[in-house]
Amino acid sequence: MDRVALRGLKARGHHGVFPREREEGQTFIVDLVLGLDTRPAAADDDLAKTVHYGIVAEEAVAVVEGEPVNLIETLAERIAQACLKHEGVQEVEVCVHKPDAPITVPFDDVTVTITRSRV
């Protein structure tokens, strides 16, 4: 299976279990790896035969900016389901970064990574 990757999609969302997270919001970063067969698109040099990653990026950002959820696990699942709605996408890996998570010790990042497929 071929891979199309989008890394570092940034959006502001109001996700989290604490009232401050819901009220103030924070930046979330999303990495996507889409699994699909790119041979038909490559053979005909035809965008219609692959996934339009610009549209996928816009949809992932819309999920982050949309309805708040408590957990980034839930956010990752919603993003994965949006990606799998694209006909050619057979599998997706979603990594949601929460670099401003409310943790009381020094840290670089918090991530949740999931893989979902049509199977």
Side-chain angles (χ1 to χ4, degrees):
M1 193 170 308
D2 303 320
R3 303 274 183 237
V4 174
L6 294 93
R7 307 243 188 247
L9 299 172
K10 293 181 184 174
R12 188 158 188 84
H14 294 265
H15 312 289
V17 296
F18 298 114
R20 184 175 179 194
E21 294 178 290
R22 292 293 185 106
E23 293 165 10
E24 296 178 15
Q26 60 192 293
T27 299
F28 293 84
I29 302 166
V30 176
D31 300 325
L32 302 174
V33 180
L34 309 170
L36 64 153
D37 183 358
T38 64
R39 290 175 291 190
D44 294 338
D45 198 27
D46 186 352
L47 176 61
K49 295 182 178 180
T50 188
V51 64
H52 191 309
Y53 52 78
I55 291 173
V56 171
E58 291 170 358
E59 291 172 352
V61 165
V63 172
V64 174
E65 292 175 342
E67 179 185 350
V69 296
N70 289 330
L71 304 176
I72 58 175
E73 291 87 342
T74 305
L75 185 60
E77 184 67 34
R78 289 184 177 181
I79 293 168
Q81 293 309 314
C83 293
L84 289 171
K85 287 181 181 176
H86 291 268
E87 185 177 328
V89 177
Q90 299 300 308
E91 181 179 275
V92 62
E93 179 181 282
V94 178
C95 181
V96 176
H97 301 255
K98 189 175 180 180
D100 299 320
I103 298 175
T104 60
V105 297
F107 74 101
D108 289 329
D109 199 5
V110 172
T111 66
V112 168
T113 302
I114 66 171
T115 302
R116 298 292 182 266
S117 65
R118 292 183 179 274
V119 181

